[in-house]
Structures are given as C-alpha cells and as structure tokens.
Amino acid sequence: ASMCLFLSSPDRLPANPYCILLSLFAYMLLGLFLVEPERTYLTISAEILLELAMLGMITYLGLRMKKTLPRFQQTLSALIGINLIITAVSLPAYHYAVSFAADSGRAVSLLFSVRLLIAIWYLAVLSLIFKRAFAISTQLSAVISFVFFFNYLIVAVWMFQ
C-alpha cells in the first residue's frame, strides 16, 4: 500500500513466492467485482493474466539487462500488489462517480475525469516501481510505463473486444 502512495520501493518487499501467489489470488478474486453482463469472469481473468504476463516480461527483461535478476520476485510482487490496490480503490470510486453523474447529468465528463485520474495514478506508481527496480531515470521509467500501458490497451482491446 505504501508504494501506491509513493512511500516505498520493491526492494523492501520479501522475496517470497507465497507473497506473489497470495497477491495474485486476491487480485483474481477482486476480478469477480468487475463482472458485468458484457464481461464474463473468464474474460476478466484473461485480461488480468495478460497484464501480469506483460509486466512480468518487462520486469524480467529490465532486471536481466541491469544484471539484477534476483529482484524479480520482489518487483513482480510489487506490481501485482499495486494493481490489486489501485483496482480495489478504483472500483468504489468509479461506481460512486457513475451514481453521482447519473444524478447530476454530467456523466461523460465526470467518468472521463475519474478514469484519467486513476490512469495517471497507475502510471506514476508503475513508473516509480520501474525506476527503483531497474535503477533508471524517472523519464525512462515513465516512458517504459507509458509504452507498456499503451501496448496493453491495444492488445487487450484487440483480444477481448
């Protein structure tokens, strides 16, 4: 949770595969709250696994290039954890925005603002994790985060829409 508030880094997490499995289980469980008539749990689970596979690949390549591969479990645990926390926070925020927007008649602008704010928060936290895990500049970690996010959205839309 402290990483989502920019107060910590992946190296402070235990390098424990059980932490990764527990975080993954909780994240998949949280996916149940994302089920809608047009999105099944199978689709949501596939989207989560795609996202984590892409993050895992970036993490592996980045750590391998920096010759710090022993940090892989800690970094992956941090990435799964921030996805879990940001999704858990964004669900009630988004539902509140939907109900508030329906009452006030400003649905499109409010929902866009909430989504944009959550996306910026996610990219900032992701960038911080990459910066500290790979020991790179803020600008490079921001570019890596944005390129990942953009590519993930393209692949997810292509595969699941």
Side-chain angles (χ1 to χ4, degrees), residues 24 27-32 34 41 43-54 152 160:
L24 181 60
Y27 193 26
M28 297 299 282
L29 197 60
L30 188 62
L32 288 172
L34 299 170
Y41 183 68
T43 302
I44 292 165
S45 297
E47 288 175 9
I48 290 170
L49 292 175
L50 171 68
E51 178 184 27
L52 295 179
M54 289 175 73
Y152 167 73
F160 303 112

Side-chain angles (χ1 to χ4, degrees), residues 60-89:
Y60 178 80
L61 292 173
L63 293 174
R64 181 154 183 159
M65 286 174 38
K66 288 292 193 170
K67 297 178 179 26
T68 55
L69 208 48
R71 295 186 195 172
F72 182 77
Q73 286 183 355
Q74 292 169 305
T75 306
L76 189 61
S77 182
L79 292 169
I80 295 170
I82 64 130
N83 277 298
L84 171 65
I85 290 169
I86 290 176
T87 302
V89 169

Side-chain angles (χ1 to χ4, degrees), residues 104-116:
S104 68
R106 299 181 308 193
V108 175
S109 64
L110 182 61
L111 294 177
F112 176 78
S113 297
V114 168
R115 284 184 177 168
L116 182 63

